[in-house]
Amino acid sequence: MGNQLESGLVSANGLAGKKAWIGRPKKNDPDAMKKMGRVRACVFHPKQKRCVGLLVKRPDVALLFHRPNMFVAVDGYDVVDGNIVVHEGPQAVDKGACKALGINLDDCVLWAGLAVMCEDGTDFGVVGDVLFHPQSGAVETLVVSKGATANTLLGQRNVPASAIRGFRRGMGTQLYVADDDDAAALGCILVDDSVKDMDVSGGVAEKAGAATAVATDKAKRVVRRVQPKAQEAVDKAKPTVQKAAKAAGEAVDKGAFVTGRQIGRATGMFSSFKDEFSKAMKDDE
C-alpha cells in the first residue's frame, strides 16, 4: 500500500481529504475510474485498538440531495499516486465490508478530535493522529495534540498502543447534543496513568534545548582543542614576561631612589633656607 510512513505504518491524518476512486471499466476504456468522493476520516473498532476502515464523503446529487457516506474496509483499498483506489468486489465497501469485518458500523468510533484522558480525569489533549498497520489496522501509536501553537512550542506526546485502553463513554468530548445528565453523550480515548510521565517531543523548546546542548558541546571541544596551544604560547612567553617584569621592577626601584634623593635634597634646601632666614631676622633686630 502506498502512502506509508518509513516505519511501514499508515497515518490517519495522511489519509484524510484524499480523493477516492473505484474502477468502472468501459468497452473503449477498461481502466476507466469513477470518483467516489473524498476521505472524511478513519473509523475505529468500538472495543479493539484497530482501524477498521475509511469513511468517504460522496458529493451531493445536483448539489442539493445529500448522499450517505461510503464505508471502505481497511484492506479494501490501495493508495496510488496520492489517491485512494477502492478494490472491486462486495467485501470492499459498505454492508459487504462490515459483514466481512464482523462489525456494526453504527457502533464504531471516529477517534479524530476525541479527548485523551486518564481514569482520574487528567486531560492530555485530543487525538491529533493515529498510526496503524495497513492490512490489520492494528493501532501502533496515538499522537496527542494540544493545539497548533502548543504543538509548535512544546511538541506532541506519542502514546504507544500498550498504554492505550480504548474508547470510553461518560467522560471527555461531547459526541452529540443531549441533556446535561446524558453521560453517554461524552466520549474519550482512555490511556494508562503511565502517560503522565511521558515526555513530549518535536517542539521548538526541545529543539532549542538540543541546539544549546550542541553549542555547549562545540564550545567545550573548541576549548579542549585550543587550550594546549594557549598553554604552549604562555610557556614560551613566560621568560620574556619575567625578564620584562624584572626590568620594570628595577626601573621602579631606581625611580623611587632618585625621587627619594630629590625629596631629600629639597628638604635640606628648605632647612638651610629656614636657618638663613632666621639668622637674617636676628641681625635686623
Side-chain angles (χ1 to χ4, degrees):
M1 180 185 294
N3 196 47
Q4 293 181 2
L5 305 177
E6 292 182 1
S7 59
L9 302 175
V10 176
S11 164
N13 270 1
L15 294 174
K18 289 190 176 298
K19 296 178 181 178
W21 303 78
I22 192 167
R24 286 290 185 267
K26 298 179 181 179
K27 290 183 179 181
N28 58 346
D29 188 3
D31 297 325
M33 305 291 290
K34 179 182 178 181
K35 183 180 177 181
M36 305 301 294
R38 288 182 180 271
V39 176
R40 176 188 169 194
C42 289
V43 182
F44 293 84
H45 196 279
K47 296 182 179 179
Q48 302 172 9
K49 296 178 287 187
R50 67 185 179 97
C51 176
V52 293
L54 312 175
L55 275 186
V56 176
K57 186 182 185 309
R58 297 190 290 179
D60 296 335
V61 178
L63 302 177
L64 295 174
F65 301 102
H66 179 71
R67 302 173 68 187
N69 294 323
M70 180 177 69
F71 174 70
V72 180
V74 68
D75 57 354
Y77 69 92
D78 291 316
V79 181
V80 181
D81 295 332
N83 294 285
I84 301 295
V85 178
V86 181
H87 298 171
E88 297 181 32
Q91 293 186 338
V93 299
D94 293 331
K95 292 182 179 179
C98 291
K99 184 177 180 180
L101 292 168
I103 61 171
N104 179 3
L105 189 58
D106 291 336
D107 295 333
C108 292
V109 185
L110 303 181
W111 282 20
L114 285 180
V116 180
M117 307 177 71
C118 279
E119 191 78 52
D120 63 3
T122 302
D123 191 342
F124 300 102
V126 299
V127 177
D129 198 2
V130 184
L131 308 182
F132 58 88
H133 293 276
Q135 294 301 321
S136 66
V139 173
E140 181 70 20
T141 304
L142 175 67
V143 181
V144 183
S145 170
K146 294 185 74 68
T149 302
N151 293 343
T152 301
L153 293 175
L154 305 177
Q156 296 175 318
R157 183 179 276 105
N158 297 324
V159 180
S162 59
I164 303 172
R165 295 188 183 180
F167 177 68
R168 169 71 65 87
R169 285 190 180 274
M171 57 192 299
T173 307
Q174 186 167 354
L175 305 176
Y176 55 86
V177 178
D179 296 333
D180 294 338
D181 58 350
D182 187 0
L186 301 178
C188 74
I189 301 301
L190 198 66
V191 295
D192 293 338
D193 288 343
S194 60
V195 176
K196 296 178 182 179
D197 300 324
M198 287 183 181
D199 295 328
V200 295
S201 60
V204 173
E206 181 190 41
K207 293 177 180 178
T212 301
V214 170
T216 302
D217 180 64
K218 287 183 177 180
K220 288 180 178 178
R221 280 185 284 161
V222 169
V223 169
R224 286 196 295 268
R225 186 171 65 251
V226 173
Q227 197 171 29
K229 295 182 179 179
Q231 186 60 48
E232 182 180 351
V234 169
D235 293 340
K236 288 182 178 179
K238 189 180 290 184
T240 303
V241 172
Q242 290 175 341
K243 184 177 180 181
K246 183 178 180 181
E250 292 175 350
V252 170
D253 292 341
K254 184 177 181 181
F257 173 74
V258 172
T259 302
R261 186 172 58 186
Q262 293 298 327
I263 292 174
R265 287 179 179 175
T267 303
M269 289 172 62
F270 180 76
S271 180
S272 298
F273 173 78
K274 183 180 178 183
D275 292 342
E276 292 296 329
F277 179 81
S278 298
K279 184 178 180 181
M281 289 295 291
K282 289 178 180 181
D283 289 343
D284 289 342
E285 293 177 357

